[in-house]
Structures are given as structure tokens and as C-alpha cells.
Amino acid sequence: MQCSQCHTENRVSAKFCKQCGTVITIQSTASTLTTASLDTIDFLEGLVGLDDLKKELTELHSILEGMKHHNSGGRYPCNAIIIGPSGTAKTLISNLIADLFLNSGMITKHKPVTIDGEDLDRMTDDTKLTKLFTDAKGGMLFVDNAQKLVDSEGNANLSFSRFINKMDAYKDDPIVLMAGLPFGLREFAKSAKNKNITGRFQKIFFISDYSCSQYATIAEKELTKQGFLISSEASEQINKRFRYLYKELKKADSIINAVNGYLAINEARSIIGSYFTRRGNDKMILPEDIKGQVEEKKDLQEIMADLDAIIGMTELKKEIKSLYTQLNQITEMEKKGVEVDKPANHFLITGNPGTGKTTVARLLGKIFEGLGLLDAGHVIEVDRSKLVAGYVGQTAPLVNQACDSAMGGILFIDEAYSLKQNDSDSFGQECIDALLKRMEDDRGKFMIIAAGYKGPIEKFLASNDGFKSRFTKSFHLEDYNPDELAAIFESLASKQQYIIPQGTKERIVGFFKDRCARKTKDFANGREARNLLGMARKNISNRVKTLEPSKLTKEDRLTLMPEDIPGTTSDKMVSVDEALKELNELVGLQLVKDNITRIANSLKAQKLKGTPKVLERHFVFQGNPGTGKTTVARILGDVFKAIGMLPTNKLIEVDRSQLVAEYSGQTAPLVNKQCDNAMGGILFIDEAYSLKQGRLDTFGQEAIDTLLKRMEDDRGKFIVITAGYKEEMNEFLKTNTGFKGRFTDYIDFEDYSPDEMYKIFCNMCINENVVFAKEFEEALRNRLQHIYSQRTDSFANARMVRQLYDKTTENKDNRVIIMDTTEDEQRREIFIMQPEDLDMTVTG
């Protein structure tokens, strides 16, 4: 704030110039007045947003003016707390309140005594505290950053209590005004246990973040104050710009530093900078002056067209269209001045994974935004881990933070039934209570969508009546059928410009018919189509690399042939010899190959003699990472299926996180779920030694006990393969004799030698048509030899080779791109690795 006499820059809240002492009237920098004596209420009305606060202060103004007019004498107590995010004009409003009291004669001192909350928190000397109140007597005492007087749970610090005692001693003189950020201060103000403190404050104001439109309005006001005109097209572009910025701000990884008024002012200054950069001279802001990304707003017809374009969801589309019609009618009636009760805007979406629950949530956000019921329509995705803390009192702040981010949009709670996991889950109950309060306090300002499996959701809501009553609309998404999955696959493929002949389409439908027929709990719905496309892309790449590169056309590379689609259970039968051939084509692993071949021959002999036994074989794979343990497990599945010992060759990969829960009684269901998924195939447990992490790990022991029971109860129905470092696996099995006795085969995976790593590297190059320049081979061999000689017990083997290849490729690509040469030469060089490309940072 600039002094009119000496032009010294002062703080926005300054009443007197720090240089010459001249009285400074409220004026305008970011949101400052340009008129020396502007009426306080008129100025207040000119502020953007703050409707509730404006109403309160206007009423206060009337009371104070009435008391002044009737010369009633006495003081009108109005201690207040203003709580709001950064950049919401809290300090400016504090100055306005001070002006109201000064102009009405309720206080006589023009300049409030100001202290920061942090300084007040450190003020342990009662003499200093007394002086603070004495200096402010007859005026106002303003405490800035009041959130520093409470902890994150909303508990008042000892210094706050001392401050309240001093307020009691001075009996509303001075008037006390506090302002601070919501973190902890909001919980403090709303907690019933703090009424003995908050009761001293006649007014507690809560200020919200600005909405998209309010951001745009503030920016345009600033431009106008600077003497600029704004074209209608530029105004529209400014709104689009803030639509983008608003949604970016809500992201957990947002890199935008300024918020609210600060962001709006910064953007206005950027626009002014763009105006002068293009050498404008008419003071007219044009669309090209608004730099940076924007977000276009679709109209409702486009949004409903997007809904129709979604594959499947026939019943749900009808429901959403019905809801759209209902809400649209309400909106039209409100435009005509007819008040209508709006339906609750909180929903349930149930369905299995991959059925499109998040997609539906985003569509609902766009529809509600288009109807004007939500300001932005963005979706904030959370689950229990982001809402429920591990310590008393820390959950409510997490919930409030999530709800703040969802303001103007949707809070999407995945697996909502996990919020409260049993009757003794007090943290979960705290989460639900905090959500219910925000749903009540901020009705219409945001939407909550609870999602998850249908059964658990219904059971959860049945035990939480208060929560259940807030959700009046429920959508259920059925699993996709084979035709719908095929259509999803074709849609994904077409976006990547793949060509799908009729024969391939039939193969795709056949694949999904088979997949749906063998559907287990791991069935991923729409993700099945994405997974199949990934497999098909890999297959087409392998197929075309065998063809003459010079004769390959773009169409050849993008046409999906029937053989690129993996076979189904009915038409794909890998023979034992084919499976073993794939095993023998792997680099190295000779001991592994010998073991697997011997097992296969033994099983083939049993079948030949007509005396096949129930397959009661379980395996321990021991070795460092990257030695092909998962690949060999998959080949084992092919072998056992080919012999007829297992009905499928599916491989279910899990680790401790998918088998051991964090709460009593939840581990056994997790283990049983994974065993169910592996029925007819293989359950592959990586880092199995981590299942039990010490003598006191009761949850880990529960996982082992449950797994042992399933291995006994379902003998021959599935195979368990445990994998991990050799030493750790040995120690683990020594301490679990019952577990150890269930395993029939122990297979060691040795580290790859430098020559074997060289072959792996070469295979990667062959797959990408990359060749070596002169001297690269020797450099590579020396590099691998060095890495091998420095390896530790956790040597990553093939994973290290992959990392070395990726880093070297990155170096090669960078070198070629910056070459000062022709494009044809770059095309040739992009497939050649030079010695200088070899990465020297990767270790074992």
C-alpha cells in the first residue's frame, strides 16, 4: 500500500506510513481502493464473493450506526474470528471491521494493535500480554495467523487459554479480532469441546476458496483498475483459463503456488505483461493476451452425446438421462423464479473393478457443472488411506482437506465400505462423522460419490444409517459381456490407428467369450480389453520383426492379424515340448532348465503308464531379482496344463500386501480370495519370506496358517510357488516347519554371467532392430564384466540389463536428435549404438 505523501510502500493492512506517519486510507493494490474516502460498506459490497460475510457485516453496520444515531452509549461487543484459506482477503476484511467500529465511535484508536499468532504463542510473560491489551484499549487488538494458536486437531494451545483469560479481564475493551488459515483453526471453531473459548467471540466467519467464476471476476476487476478494457472474447478466454487453473489447484501434485486472490492478481499481471509484449496501444485486452492452458466447457448436448458413446451401461444411461431431465427441469423452473426442492446430490455407484465407476463419476460432474449445480465438476479420488489417519484427532483434518479440494466438484470415495472396518474402528467412525458434517455444512457446494462392490457397500450402509440416508440415488454397473468387451477393444485399437480385419474381430469375440466363461474374482472388465490390446501389440511386434524391414508398410505394422490375438482355452493347447522349447530358449538358467525338464518327464511318464497322481507339487524358487522366476513359473503352468495335471495355465502373482491385512480377522479372507483366484492354476508368492516378519507378527502367521489349510484342503487343485532371495527363503522355511513340509521341489536361480547378460542385451537390441557400432561390443562386455564383479546379494540381473539398455538407448536418442546433420542420416544413426552412448551410471 503506497503512501500518498512520500510514496513509500507499506503493508496492505497498514494504517500509518512507516516512513512519514501519514494516515493511509484503504486503497487498491491487489484489492485496494483508489478513492481516499470510500464508504466502508460500499467497498465491502464491491468485493468478490463473501456473500454470507457481507450480510453479517452489513447488519453489524446497521447496528453500529443505529447506536451512534441514538447516542445509546456503551460498547457493542463484537469479538470475531475470520477463518479462510490464503488469499481470501482476511486482513482486508479485518481492516473494514475496524473502520466500522471507528466510524461509529465504538473505538477511538484508528490503528489496531497487531500481533502474529506465532509471537503470541511464544509470549509466556504475563506482563507483556497485559501490555498488549493495555496498548489496544479503546481500540482493536488484531491477531493474525491465529491458526498457530491451535494444533492440527483443533486443540487450543496454552497461550490461547492465557489470551482468553486476559480477554475476560478486559471485558470487551479492546475488541479482539482474529484471522487465520483453516488448518486446525476450523476444527477448533467447530468443536463442541471448545465452546468455553469460542463463546467469547460473537462472530465466527468462514471464508471459502474462490470459485472459477470468482477468480475470473477478480482478475477482470484488477485489469479494469489498471485502466484496461476487456473484449468479450478475452473475457471468455479468461474464464476458460481459470477453469483450467482451478482444476489444477485441486490436484494433489499441483505445482501452482499462488491461490485465491493472489492467483487472480498474478494472472491479471501476466495478461498485462502479454499486452505490452505484443505492443498494444489501445488498452484493449484480447484473447491472445491470455497465455497458458485453458479448458473448454462442453455444453450439455455434447456431454449427453459422450454418455451415449460409452459402450454398454444401457440401464445406467437411462437412469442418468432421467436424472438429467429432472435436474434440467428444476434449473429451468428456478430461472423463472419458481423454488423447487432439489434432490440430494450424493450418489452410490456399485460394480466390480473395471466397470467404469470413475468414468460415470466424471460424467456426472460434467452434467452437474453444465446445469449450474457444481462450479467446476472436477473429481477428487480418495480411499481410506487418504481419509483415515492412524492417530486420534488426525482424521477430521484429512477429511476436511479432501472436502476442500472437492469444493465445486465431486469427492469420489473408492471402496467406501473400508472407511469403517468394524465396530471398534474409532478412526473410521471419526471419518464418517466428519464427512456427514461436511455434507450438511456444505450442502450443494460439492457432491460425494461412494463406490465399490455391491454387496460390501450395501452391508456397510446398512450399519451406518446416518451415512446411508445421505445417498438417495444408486447406480449399479454390470460386468461387460463378450460383445461389449470386443467393442471396447476395437475402440481402444482404433484410437491407436490399428486395423482389425473381420477374421481378427471374430477371434477377439472368441477370446472374450472364453474369458467371460472362465471369469474369476480377478476379472477386470474394461481393463481386460486394455490388457488384450497390450498382448496383441507385443505379438504383432514379434511377428513383423521376422519380416524384411525394407518391405514393411505402415499398414503391415498396424494390421492386427488373428494370430496376434492370444488363443483361448479351447483353441490353444501348448504341448509339453513347446513349453520346454520356450524354456530352453531363455538365456542361461541351465540348472533351472534341467530341473523343470526332469519334472516334466516324470509327469509325462506317469501319464504314459496310466497312473497319473493328483498333482501335489509345490515349489520354492530361490534366487536374486531378474533371474526369470516369474517367467519359469508361467512355463510351468503351460507344462502342467499340457499334461492335463491342471485345467488352466493361469498364474496369480501376489506378495505380502495382498495376503496380510492390517486388522485382526481380515487376513484369512485375503488369503482365501487369492487361493480362489488361483484355482486350476498357480499361486505365485513373491518375496514369500516377508509373510511373517518376526515372532510377534500374528497377522503374518494367520496368512501362513490359512495358506497351509488351503494347500491341504485343495490338494491337486492349484500349485503354490514361493519365490525370493535364497538365504532369506532358507531362514524363513526353517522357522516354519509346517510350511516347509508342503514344498516338494526347490529350484535355485543363479545370477546371470557377463556373457549371459550380453546375450540378453543383444536380444533387446534385436527386438528394436538396433545394431552395434565398431568398438561398442567390447565396451559393452567390459561394462557388464565390471557390473558383475561389483554385484551384491541383491544383484538385479536381467532387470539391471533392461535398465542399462534403456539408459543407453536414451543416451543414443539424445545424441542423434541434437546431431547437426540431415534427417536421413539421423534415421540411420538412430538404430546404431556408439561407444559413447553406453551408460555408466547403472549399477547391479
Side-chain angles (χ1 to χ4, degrees), residues 105-381:
M106 290 290 168
I107 59 175
T108 56
K109 293 183 178 179
H110 191 285
K111 184 178 181 181
V113 173
T114 300
I115 186 169
D116 190 273
E118 186 172 0
D119 295 331
L120 184 59
D121 191 37
R122 291 199 296 255
M123 189 178 289
T124 58
D125 189 339
D126 187 69
T127 303
K128 293 182 179 180
L129 188 59
T130 299
K131 185 177 185 306
L132 185 69
F133 274 80
T134 302
D135 290 346
K137 194 171 178 60
M140 180 170 286
L141 176 56
F142 176 59
V143 181
D144 201 7
N145 290 314
Q147 77 277 0
K148 296 178 181 178
L149 299 175
V150 299
D151 62 22
S152 61
E153 301 169 21
N155 299 311
N157 297 346
L158 181 60
S159 55
F160 204 161
S161 299
R162 289 197 297 265
F163 185 81
I164 293 299
N165 291 336
K166 194 64 66 175
M167 284 178 64
D168 291 342
Y170 276 76
K171 297 180 180 178
D172 296 321
D173 186 10
I175 292 171
V176 173
L177 185 60
M178 291 184 162
L181 301 174
F183 314 118
L185 194 58
R186 171 174 45 203
E187 286 75 22
F188 161 80
K190 291 191 174 185
S191 176
K193 67 182 180 182
N194 293 321
K195 285 185 178 179
N196 61 323
I197 298 179
T198 56
R200 268 73 166 191
F201 295 88
Q202 287 73 38
K203 299 289 184 183
I204 299 181
F205 301 111
F206 294 93
I207 304 175
S208 301
D209 282 318
Y210 290 122
S211 67
C212 297
S213 57
Q214 288 170 342
Y215 271 113
T217 301
I218 294 170
E220 291 192 14
K221 278 178 172 284
E222 180 65 18
L223 291 170
T224 302
K225 288 172 187 175
Q226 299 293 332
F228 289 94
L229 301 173
I230 307 167
S231 70
S232 59
E233 295 83 1
S235 179
E236 184 179 346
Q237 191 74 355
I238 289 172
N239 275 278
K240 292 177 182 178
R241 173 63 177 156
F242 280 110
R243 278 174 52 77
Y244 168 78
L245 291 172
Y246 184 89
K247 294 184 180 182
E248 282 296 302
L249 277 171
K250 301 301 182 181
K251 293 181 179 179
D253 58 350
S254 174
I255 60 173
I256 302 175
N257 296 320
V259 294
N260 292 306
Y262 301 127
L263 177 59
I265 299 304
N266 287 348
E267 195 65 21
R269 289 169 178 166
S270 174
I271 293 170
I272 293 171
S274 297
Y275 167 85
F276 286 117
T277 299
R278 70 171 172 84
R279 301 184 182 279
N281 59 9
D282 56 356
K283 285 285 188 168
M284 176 65 74
I285 299 298
L286 300 177
E288 55 261 39
D289 296 324
I290 294 90
K291 305 297 184 183
Q293 290 182 255
V294 300
E295 181 170 321
E296 300 289 342
K297 183 176 180 179
K298 290 185 176 181
D299 60 37
L300 284 167
Q301 287 69 33
E302 290 178 298
I303 297 168
M304 298 312 289
D306 289 342
L307 175 64
D308 286 329
I310 294 177
I311 295 167
M313 302 187 185
T314 304
E315 293 301 317
L316 177 124
K317 289 176 183 177
K318 292 179 183 178
E319 289 281 343
I320 291 183
K321 288 179 180 178
S322 174
L323 176 65
Y324 161 76
T325 301
Q326 179 187 4
L327 294 175
N328 198 32
Q329 289 173 348
I330 291 173
T331 302
E332 292 301 318
M333 293 176 70
E334 286 182 335
K335 289 179 180 178
K336 297 176 182 178
V338 180
E339 291 189 9
V340 182
D341 288 335
K342 297 178 182 178
N345 295 335
H346 303 293
F347 299 93
L348 297 171
I349 302 179
T350 58
N352 291 328
T355 48
K357 296 186 288 293
T358 307
T359 298
V360 172
R362 289 170 180 160
L363 269 173
L364 285 172
K366 291 177 181 178
I367 291 172
F368 273 65
E369 180 193 15
L371 291 169
L373 299 177
L374 289 178
D375 188 64
H378 62 289
V379 177
I380 301 297
E381 298 181 42

Side-chain angles (χ1 to χ4, degrees), residues 488-489 492 496 525-535:
I488 293 171
F489 177 92
L492 293 171
Q496 298 182 33
N525 282 289
R527 294 171 201 152
E528 296 286 341
R530 192 175 299 279
N531 293 341
L532 177 59
L533 181 58
M535 289 187 282

Side-chain angles (χ1 to χ4, degrees), residues 459-728:
K459 183 178 179 181
F460 167 70
L461 292 175
S463 62
N464 291 275
D465 290 337
F467 207 43
K468 179 182 180 180
S469 64
R470 298 301 196 281
F471 298 91
T472 57
K473 194 71 177 175
S474 177
F475 300 111
H476 178 67
L477 304 179
E478 298 289 348
D479 285 346
Y480 289 109
N481 62 41
D483 290 334
E484 290 168 343
L485 288 172
I488 293 171
F489 177 92
E490 291 185 32
S491 175
L492 293 171
S494 65
K495 290 177 182 177
Q496 298 182 33
Q497 300 183 339
Y498 282 102
I499 302 165
I500 308 178
Q502 184 59 38
T504 308
K505 291 182 180 181
E506 294 171 359
R507 177 89 168 185
I508 292 167
V509 173
F511 176 91
F512 285 121
K513 283 182 178 179
D514 181 81
R515 183 70 184 92
C516 291
R518 297 185 299 110
K519 185 163 54 178
T520 57
K521 293 181 180 179
D522 67 336
F523 185 70
N525 282 289
R527 294 171 201 152
E528 296 286 341
R530 192 175 299 279
N531 293 341
L532 177 59
L533 181 58
M535 289 187 282
R537 289 175 60 184
K538 179 180 178 182
N539 291 342
I540 194 174
S541 176
N542 290 335
R543 175 171 56 80
V544 300
K545 76 181 181 183
T546 63
L547 304 176
E548 179 62 40
S550 61
K551 296 180 180 179
L552 280 176
T553 65
K554 181 179 180 181
E555 186 173 299
D556 291 330
R557 298 180 184 275
L558 292 175
T559 300
L560 288 172
M561 303 303 292
E563 58 265 34
D564 298 325
I565 305 301
T568 64
T569 302
S570 57
D571 65 13
K572 180 184 178 184
M573 188 65 178
V574 177
S575 69
V576 177
D577 291 338
E578 288 174 322
L580 293 178
K581 181 177 181 292
E582 182 181 357
L583 174 67
N584 289 321
E585 287 176 351
L586 297 176
V587 175
L589 305 177
Q590 191 57 51
L591 290 176
V592 175
K593 294 171 182 176
D594 293 343
N595 269 302
I596 299 301
T597 301
R598 187 166 54 252
I599 292 168
N601 289 339
S602 173
L603 294 173
K604 287 168 68 177
Q606 289 181 24
K607 188 174 182 180
L608 190 63
K609 290 187 291 186
T611 58
K613 299 176 182 178
V614 174
L615 187 60
E616 295 182 42
R617 303 190 82 140
H618 301 291
F619 297 81
V620 176
F621 286 1
Q622 302 177 133
N624 286 331
T627 47
K629 294 187 288 293
T630 306
T631 300
V632 172
R634 180 179 56 76
I635 292 173
L636 262 181
D638 289 337
V639 170
F640 294 148
K641 180 188 173 186
I643 295 172
M645 296 295 185
L646 285 176
T648 77
N649 59 355
K650 67 180 175 181
L651 181 76
I652 304 299
E653 299 179 53
V654 296
D655 55 22
R656 176 185 167 95
S657 67
Q658 294 156 295
L659 295 174
V660 181
E662 297 179 359
Y663 299 92
S664 179
Q666 294 187 340
T667 292
L670 280 182
V671 175
N672 283 321
K673 174 185 175 182
Q674 298 300 347
C675 290
D676 289 341
N677 289 342
M679 282 298 104
I682 295 174
L683 181 65
F684 183 83
I685 306 174
D686 200 14
E687 297 183 351
Y689 48 79
S690 67
L691 288 183
K692 188 176 180 182
Q693 300 180 337
R695 187 170 55 84
L696 300 179
D697 184 5
T698 56
F699 297 156
Q701 186 61 52
E702 182 184 359
I704 292 172
D705 293 342
T706 306
L707 184 59
L708 284 171
K709 188 175 188 309
R710 289 302 297 268
M711 292 167 75
E712 177 64 27
D713 293 347
D714 295 304
R715 285 180 297 168
K717 296 180 181 179
F718 76 119
I719 291 171
V720 173
I721 298 178
T722 58
Y725 295 106
K726 185 172 183 177
E727 184 176 343
E728 282 82 350

Side-chain angles (χ1 to χ4, degrees), residues 4 64 87 133 210 383 423 486 529 671:
S4 60
L64 296 177
F133 274 80
Y210 290 122
D383 55 19
D423 291 340
V671 175

Side-chain angles (χ1 to χ4, degrees), residues 811-828:
N811 295 340
K812 169 180 65 65
D813 292 347
N814 184 65
R815 171 179 58 79
V816 172
I817 292 303
I818 64 176
M819 285 174 59
D820 185 15
T821 186
T822 65
E823 190 172 328
D824 286 342
E825 179 61 26
Q826 285 181 317
R827 285 198 187 94
R828 285 190 295 272

